[in-house]
Amino acid sequence: MDWLESGNMAVKTLTSNKLRTGLTMLGMIIGNASVIAMIGIGQGAQRLASEQFESLGPNVLFVTPGSQGARQRTTFLPRNLVWDDAKAIAAQVPSVASVAPQRQSQLSITYGGKNRTTLVMGTAPEYLVVRDFDVAKGRFINNVDLERNTRVAILGSEVAEQFFEGKDPIGSKIRIRNISFEVVGVLQPKGSFLGNNQDDAVYIPLTTSATSLTGRTSPFGLDLTFISISAINEASIPAAEFQITNLLRRRHKIINEDDFTVQTQKDILRIVGTITGGLTALLAAIAAVSLLVGGIGIMNIMLVSVSERTQEIGLRKAIGASEQDILMQFMIEAVMLSAAGGIVGTGVGIGGILLVAAFSPLQAVVSPLAITLAVTVSGTIGLVFGVFPARQAARLDPIVALRSA
Amino acid sequence: MSTIVQLQSITKVYGIGDIIVNALSGVDLTVNAGEYCSIMGTSGSGKSTMMNIIGCLDRPTAGRYYLDGIEVDTLADNELARIRNQKLGFVFQQFHLLSQLTAWENVMLPMIYAGVPVQERRDRAREALVRVGLEQRLQNKPTQLSGGQQQRVAIARAIVNRPVVLLADEPTGALDSTTTEEILDIFGELNASGMTVVMVTHEADVARRTHRIIWFKDGKVLESNLSPKDVALVSAG
Ligand SMILES: Nc1ncnc2c1ncn2[C@@H]1O[C@H](COP(=O)(O)OP(=O)(O)OP(=O)(O)O)[C@@H](O)[C@H]1O
Ligand SMILES: [Mg+2]
């Protein structure tokens, strides 16, 4: 008996009990749908994350205080990264285009009876260039502000919307930590970055931040929490990283462990990639368990089916079916069940991805690899979990089987 | 005249351990081509056991069995399956048709296992159904057929691979007397056209229509060549 005949026979059997066939396939459908959807959503998250990093600005590097090791050991970071470091990088590193010193803290802001705790960022004019922000209205921080410690504030679009609800905020006075600041500008919306709303921020001159709000806390100068740097082009990023590291080591008189960390977009992307990759793997693992459960469901039903069809098996043997014929018949039924479940499940999974993509910022990523994997795995599961029932069937004694009326 | 079935000192013992049943204890029997025999005997005398051995569904505990010149008691399971497919036709009391298949498809089944090409399969199955008078019922499922019609489909299925012997274990046991007559007519016609037929029956009227009666008792052949006239003898015990 050839494959075509066995396939025909299996189709006939499976379609003769549609309800059972459907219910048996359900396990595989759910299993496959979840594998496809989970991997798709995981990869969508990964892609979203990398796109967001690209939106940070072109060819960006970051310097943060504390070593990688120190960052893992303690939450109190040394305050030894200062404005002079940023100035030195701008002046001495040739592969660097712009340097934006940043010092940021969460502070309470009030305006017209409204109160809100928001990120307040002390920075310099370069910030706009390095981080690729645009001014919507008014102006950004300029060098005069820095020299004179002016109390001016530029609002992120979200903050402007929250406090002013469509009115023009320029010229109004807001209070940061009870100190009055004049609003001189509003930024264009930028969207969120890894769930952080980048538009929910207020920008003030770096110098004003140190003198009026938080005070100087480092013995080495005006301390920073962050330096954002743009390299002159993508090719010069590794050079910039190397040169910045060297410069800061010299300036900080480092002998052993660095007290700062230079990271490129790639470094951060890699970290995010590890996290989202792990997440994807976890989701896939959970989904794989449901595939397994689906396979066990198939085995269960096939076993019931073998004992129900004892007479049929006996008759087939009596008219000349060999053990291999019976084995093949039941194996093909099992594989068809699981592969069909796999295909339907893939459709449902893709539907799920498209649905999630439609209602969230996640992109729809339909991975051909995931689909091939899921269908192959389902087929294999059918094969593996079909073997046992099929062998039971093939080994039935025809006389005993025929007598079981 | 060629010998189709030859049993030599066949024994069959059931049960391992304490309870042992000697279902067959030394059966010698020869059936020649073209014969029309019935096997009679009390319940439990071993008729079905012997039919199963002749039908290669079961193996004897001891003894030799030649089918159409081949010693089948030494064959492997696979080879027996092939013998059942090619040389034997089996009709059961319970018909044993596959309910999800039509009459036509049921008759095609043995040819699928024989590897007969599709077109030939369809033609031969139709011919077989014509022979049993069911050309109008090709597309009916078993549940849409009467008991007698179902048994005729089963006969068509048994003869479609042109077996050397047609075996029937109480083929009319589940049928009323008119339907029994119809089935016996078909067996008679098949035998008239050269088919060797061996049939187990409890009914004297059925046995009377065959040409040779084999009488079974306690796992042995008591009489192997009674004529239909002697049926009363058997019925009396
Ligand atoms: N699988 C088995 N295991 C144990 N004993 C069996 C088995 N099959 C048959 N027997 C016994 O073998 C003996 C012969 O049984 P068999 O079925 O051949 O009788 P029979 O002549 O066909 O009877 P009936 O006319 O009732 O069909 C009986 O005693 C029966 O109980
Ligand atoms: Mg019997």
Side-chain angles (χ1 to χ4, degrees), chain B residues 43-44 46-49 93 169-170 200 202:
Chain B
S43 185
K47 305 179 296 292
S48 292
T49 305
Q93 184 178 357
D169 194 348
E170 301 189 43
V200 171
H202 277 291

Side-chain angles (χ1 to χ4, degrees), chain A residues 66-88:
Chain A
S67 66
Q68 292 278 22
R71 293 177 84 81
Q72 278 155 17
R73 280 196 299 273
T74 169
T75 51
F76 297 101
L77 299 171
R79 302 201 171 271
N80 44 16
L81 194 66
V82 294
W83 194 13
D84 285 342
D85 289 331
K87 285 177 181 162

Side-chain angles (χ1 to χ4, degrees), chain A residues 1 5 9 12-13 16 311-312 315-326 329 397-399 402-403, chain B residues 14 52 57-58 77-78 81-82 84-85 92 94-96 98 100-101 105 109-110 112-113 118 121 157 161:
Chain A
M1 193 168 59
E5 294 299 344
M9 226 175 249
K12 224 160 242 164
T13 310
S16 73
Q311 278 197 66
E312 175 195 330
L315 183 272
R316 284 179 186 275
K317 284 192 151 188
I319 62 171
S322 65
E323 284 198 14
Q324 293 95 294
D325 289 332
I326 302 291
Q329 182 190 345
D397 181 346
I399 307 169
L402 280 172
R403 209 181 283 140
Chain B
Y14 282 117
N52 289 339
L57 290 168
D58 204 357
D77 285 352
N78 269 348
R82 184 139 194 85
R84 288 198 292 272
N85 185 241
F92 307 91
Q94 303 300 336
F95 322 140
H96 287 308
L98 298 193
Q100 74 267 27
L101 303 183
E105 290 167 333
L109 213 50
I112 291 179
Y113 292 114
V118 181
R121 222 190 281 163
R157 183 181 61 193
N161 266 351

Side-chain angles (χ1 to χ4, degrees), chain B residues 22 38 46 65 67 71 87 98 101 115 128 131 156 162 165 192 195 217 228:
Chain B
N22 288 297
S38 55
Y65 169 26
L67 173 68
E71 184 172 1
K87 293 195 178 291
L98 298 193
L101 303 183
R131 269 183 98 172
R162 297 158 190 153
V165 58
M195 176 72 72
K217 196 167 183 182

Side-chain angles (χ1 to χ4, degrees), chain A residues 126-176:
Chain A
E126 290 82 2
Y127 183 82
L128 219 49
V129 189
V130 177
R131 295 294 303 275
D132 201 21
F133 272 90
D134 287 308
V135 175
K137 224 179 253 166
R139 66 173 180 88
F140 197 63
I141 299 159
N142 59 30
N143 285 323
V144 179
D145 294 325
L146 285 182
E147 277 161 30
R148 297 189 185 164
N149 294 1
T150 54
R151 289 184 186 165
V152 295
I154 292 86
L155 307 183
S157 57
E158 172 81 16
V159 176
E161 185 53 38
Q162 289 286 335
F163 280 115
F164 296 94
E165 293 161 346
K167 283 177 295 201
D168 187 0
I170 308 283
S172 305
K173 301 269 188 191
I174 59 167
R175 298 183 82 82
I176 305 175

Side-chain angles (χ1 to χ4, degrees), chain A residues 33 110 118 133 140 142 152 198 261 273 314 318 321 336 339 383 386-387 395 405:
Chain A
T110 47
T118 293
F133 272 90
F140 197 63
N142 59 30
V152 295
Q198 297 182 93
T261 308
M336 271 191 178
L383 214 61
V387 167
R395 283 180 181 166

